[in-house]
Amino acid sequence: MEVNPLSVILVKSDSKGDRLLFRYPFQIQENKETSNRARKNPYALSVVEESLQSVAVSSSNINKGVLTGLSDEVLSSLFAVKTDLCDKKFELKVNDVRFVSHPTLLQLQNEQSEKDDSGIMLINIVFALSALASHSVVRCYHDLSQRFGIILRHEEKRCSFVSEQTQRMMTAHDECTSNNGSAFQIILEKCTLANNIKKLYEDLSSTGLVNIIVNRWISLTFCLPQKAHQWHLRGQTIEPEDIDRCLLALRPYHSLLLLHPVEHIIDFTSLDSSPSLVKMLTQYSPMKNLQTLAADSDLTLSHVFELTAHLVYWAKATVIFPVCATNRYVIASNAPLHHTSPLIEKFSKAFPGLHLIKAIHEFSVPTSLHSKLDPFSKPTLQSSLVQNIIWMLQHHLLLQLHTYIEYMPTDNGPPSLKDQKKIAKTPSPRTSSVLSASFPDASRTESESGASTISEAQELMKHLNMENASFTSIEDDKQDYQEELLVDFPDEERNEIFKIPATNTPEDLKLFARLCRKGYFEGSHHIEEIMYLENLRRSQLTQLLDKFREILITYDSEDPAIAMFSCTT
């Protein structure tokens, strides 16, 4: 694959010259095969016609995922760069191979004068990649080369580690008379740095997670996300930009789901890891949201977000919605549930006496966890069912569905924001007529002398039918608050909304108008998100959906914020 390294090369350059000290993997039989090739006859004459008709064959330096065709001398001359190219990114493409590194200058400690140029050594740790590797993969390998160079610079300053290791490698090369690769084998047996490079290559090729101790002193940890996430996402290549984009959508109502036991993650962390991580892991539960986890761990929510992003980036955890009774799950579309799937045996080992196919078949249609829990069953059975679902979520066999809401007032589809009319808040004609009939114009209640005839007004009020006036006022008041709450809705939509009996209740109509104005009914927010953002109970929202079911359409879908962490994308 394009994410795996073809080779790791160590090149040095100092006052004594440049040399390729070590490369891994190396092939001992490489030069033997070239020596058996038939020699060209020096007395043979070349035919012009044959040279003109010969077709140039494109050469390749990749054979079975390993770098070939380039000698140590060629590689040494390529990567022993000048001082101007040090401490910056170095990238070179040769045929179908791309080399990336970060050349580092070291001040040798065993030299008598540190100011002299003889006390300066160039160390270049080069990664050979396929030319088809993406820019993000090349960027990650450059970052790894830079980190390794910084560690070597520190160890050289602390205990002359690089000087000692390079001297051993040079001695091994000088003692080997044949250049058949045996020097690399001797170096691997005697040099700690060579074993670190070997372990580095093996970790990158197998898991993408590097965890080595350089010189038994400094820890070098690195994650290649394009490789690290393939084991649980079944071969999908995840770019760092994808992870960053999904983590930006992380919300406090989301939850953390570890893909490994807590003990494994604690053992994997380095000695200088954050103690807050261990503190959070001790309070971990997939049934807690991140806000609750932060409160239980006595950590800030922003710090919990950072720790969650760290675990997700390192493929140690994924993001889900907290496991609760109202969650609805369905079998993932590409879940490997065939009879030869290794997950069947793995599930049986984790839960003796249970079969994966039998346990998961009930989720062939969207099923809520509440419908599976029997209130009269034993607590151990309920806990076992929850553990089964957590195991299936860890292996991406189940997909959680969320309810999304779409505002559909007419048969023409959802309204367009550009076409919505902004209606001014004006009193209705009925309200104006009632007010004019109940309270006549003040100019008519004045006598010609200018004195107010209060007695005439009182006589007029006696002749009015107060019962009818009271009834008309209630109807008009109801229409007033309806029009006030829906003043910015188009007339066609308001007419359809007024047909719903729930509009007669001010609280229901006010909640509906508020949620609709904030864009929650446009199909981009699920119920759980609306509950969190508006501080609503699930019962309030479900009752509102039931009362306005004529104009609110609901459907189930996956949360796009965490869709990247499943195998369905």
Side-chain angles (χ1 to χ4, degrees):
M1 302 181 68
E2 289 78 10
V3 298
N4 293 337
L6 304 176
S7 179
V8 184
I9 305 168
L10 175 62
V11 176
K12 72 94 182 177
S13 178
D14 55 9
S15 59
K16 299 178 182 179
D18 56 82
R19 191 160 191 175
L20 188 147
L21 297 177
F22 185 71
R23 61 189 291 184
Y24 192 86
F26 52 86
Q27 296 179 349
I28 300 178
Q29 298 83 3
E30 182 176 355
N31 291 333
K32 289 184 179 180
E33 296 177 357
T34 58
S35 62
N36 294 331
R37 295 178 181 175
R39 295 183 178 179
K40 183 178 180 181
N41 188 354
Y43 303 101
L45 296 176
S46 59
V47 182
V48 180
E49 295 181 357
E50 294 180 357
S51 61
L52 293 176
Q53 294 178 358
S54 60
V55 181
V57 181
S58 60
S59 58
S60 175
N61 296 112
I62 302 177
N63 184 18
K64 297 180 180 179
V66 179
L67 177 65
T68 58
L70 295 176
S71 63
D72 298 346
E73 292 76 11
V74 173
L75 295 175
S76 176
S77 60
L78 286 176
F79 305 131
V81 299
K82 296 182 179 180
T83 308
D84 298 338
L85 298 179
C86 293
D87 295 325
K88 60 181 65 175
K89 183 179 179 181
F90 178 81
E91 187 175 345
L92 177 66
K93 182 177 178 294
V94 178
N95 294 333
D96 56 347
V97 179
R98 187 181 303 275
F99 299 94
V100 59
S101 67
H102 189 89
T104 305
L105 286 178
L106 306 180
Q107 182 68 49
L108 302 182
Q109 298 299 311
N110 57 355
E111 298 291 338
Q112 306 207 348
S113 177
E114 295 183 357
K115 298 181 180 179
D116 189 8
D117 292 340
S118 60
I120 297 178
M121 176 186 290
L122 164 71
I123 287 293
N124 198 0
I125 301 175
V126 186
F127 293 97
L129 309 174
S130 172
L132 300 178
S134 62
H135 293 289
S136 63
V137 173
V138 175
R139 192 162 51 248
C140 290
Y141 276 100
H142 167 253
D143 181 43
L144 178 57
S145 178
Q146 183 178 8
R147 294 187 187 185
F148 209 157
I150 294 174
I151 291 177
L152 293 180
R153 178 186 294 168
H154 176 273
E155 286 301 285
E156 175 63 24
K157 184 177 181 180
R158 186 181 70 88
C159 61
S160 302
F161 172 69
V162 179
S163 301
E164 177 188 355
Q165 294 293 309
T166 54
Q167 184 61 38
R168 290 184 182 182
M169 294 179 182
M170 291 291 294
T171 303
H173 281 289
D174 294 339
E175 291 177 353
C176 294
T177 57
S178 60
N179 189 17
N180 57 1
S182 60
F184 294 145
Q185 186 64 37
I186 297 174
I187 291 174
L188 195 60
E189 296 173 358
K190 294 183 178 181
C191 297
T192 305
L193 182 57
N195 284 275
N196 292 145
I197 294 177
K198 176 186 176 183
K199 181 70 164 50
L200 177 68
Y201 173 84
E202 292 175 348
D203 289 347
L204 291 172
S205 301
S206 58
T207 62
L209 300 177
V210 177
N211 190 5
I212 60 178
I213 307 296
V214 179
N215 195 23
R216 301 179 182 179
W217 187 259
I218 296 184
S219 174
L220 173 61
T221 57
F222 178 80
C223 173
L224 185 64
Q226 297 89 345
K227 178 73 174 181
H229 288 269
Q230 290 182 358
W231 74 271
H232 72 98
L233 293 181
R234 292 193 281 276
Q236 291 187 14
T237 301
I238 302 299
E239 300 292 343
E241 295 79 9
D242 299 334
I243 301 178
D244 296 338
R245 185 168 56 255
C246 291
L247 291 177
L248 289 176
L250 199 62
R251 296 294 180 265
Y253 54 80
H254 285 140
S255 178
L256 186 67
L257 177 64
L258 298 181
L259 302 177
H260 299 275
V262 177
E263 297 78 10
H264 170 82
I265 298 179
I266 295 178
D267 294 339
F268 182 80
T269 56
S270 58
L271 297 177
D272 59 346
S273 61
S274 173
S276 302
L277 179 61
V278 180
K279 192 176 181 181
M280 185 187 72
L281 292 177
T282 55
Q283 300 294 330
Y284 157 77
S285 173
M287 292 178 285
K288 297 179 181 179
N289 57 31
L290 296 180
Q291 189 172 16
T292 304
L293 183 60
D296 295 344
S297 305
D298 195 19
L299 300 172
T300 61
L301 184 60
S302 60
H303 191 33
V304 171
F305 273 28
E306 294 174 354
L307 296 175
T308 300
H310 181 77
L311 292 174
V312 170
Y313 187 88
W314 280 74
K316 298 298 180 181
T318 185
V319 179
I320 61 170
F321 191 81
V323 178
C324 58
T326 56
N327 290 2
R328 302 175 70 242
Y329 299 102
V330 68
I331 299 177
S333 59
N334 59 346
L337 296 176
H338 48 84
H339 293 287
T340 59
S341 175
L343 293 179
I344 296 179
E345 183 179 358
K346 189 176 181 180
F347 182 84
S348 300
K349 291 181 179 180
F351 305 98
L354 297 180
H355 195 276
L356 178 60
I357 303 299
K358 185 177 181 181
I360 203 174
H361 85 281
E362 297 179 352
F363 295 96
S364 300
V365 295
T367 305
S368 64
L369 185 58
H370 178 73
S371 62
K372 299 287 297 176
L373 294 175
D374 187 2
F376 300 102
S377 61
K378 297 181 180 180
T380 55
L381 296 178
Q382 297 180 4
S383 176
S384 177
L385 176 60
V386 173
Q387 294 300 323
N388 293 345
I389 293 178
I390 293 175
W391 190 93
M392 297 175 189
L393 290 174
Q394 289 175 334
H395 294 81
H396 305 285
L397 299 178
L398 290 181
L399 182 67
Q400 182 177 355
L401 299 178
H402 297 267
T403 301
Y404 290 83
I405 309 169
E406 189 77 37
Y407 173 55
M408 200 79 63
T410 62
D411 296 336
N412 299 328
S416 176
L417 295 178
K418 297 180 180 180
D419 298 336
Q420 287 185 353
K421 299 179 181 179
K422 303 298 181 181
I423 302 177
K425 184 178 178 181
T426 55
S428 62
R430 291 187 59 187
T431 305
S432 302
S433 62
V434 171
L435 291 175
S436 60
S438 301
F439 301 96
D441 192 359
S443 61
R444 296 191 179 186
T445 61
E446 295 180 358
S447 60
E448 295 180 358
S449 62
S452 175
T453 56
I454 301 177
S455 59
E456 294 180 6
Q458 292 178 350
E459 286 293 328
L460 181 62
M461 295 294 292
K462 290 181 181 179
H463 293 288
L464 288 175
N465 189 345
M466 300 306 298
E467 183 177 358
N468 294 336
S470 176
F471 176 78
T472 306
S473 178
I474 294 176
E475 290 294 330
D476 292 336
D477 290 343
K478 182 179 69 173
Q479 188 172 359
D480 286 343
Y481 81 73
Q482 288 178 343
E483 292 186 357
E484 290 176 0
L485 292 176
L486 304 179
V487 65
D488 52 345
F489 285 67
D491 294 337
E492 184 181 4
E493 296 182 15
R494 284 195 295 178
N495 294 334
E496 295 295 330
I497 295 174
F498 288 155
K499 295 179 182 179
I500 300 175
T503 56
N504 297 326
T505 306
E507 292 78 10
D508 293 338
L509 184 58
K510 183 177 180 180
L511 179 60
F512 166 80
R514 175 163 61 92
L515 297 181
C516 192
R517 285 191 182 94
K518 291 186 176 182
Y520 292 131
F521 297 156
E522 297 177 359
S524 57
H525 302 271
H526 53 75
I527 287 182
E528 289 78 11
E529 185 177 8
I530 300 173
M531 290 167 53
Y532 174 80
L533 296 176
E534 295 298 322
N535 195 20
L536 297 174
R537 296 189 302 271
R538 183 179 294 272
S539 59
Q540 292 180 270
L541 205 51
T542 53
Q543 290 176 6
L544 183 70
L545 295 178
D546 181 66
K547 292 177 180 179
F548 290 86
R549 58 183 178 272
E550 290 84 359
I551 58 175
L552 295 180
I553 309 300
T554 60
Y555 60 92
D556 295 333
S557 180
E558 187 182 10
D559 187 358
I562 59 177
M564 191 275 298
F565 302 108
S566 65
C567 294
T568 57
T569 56

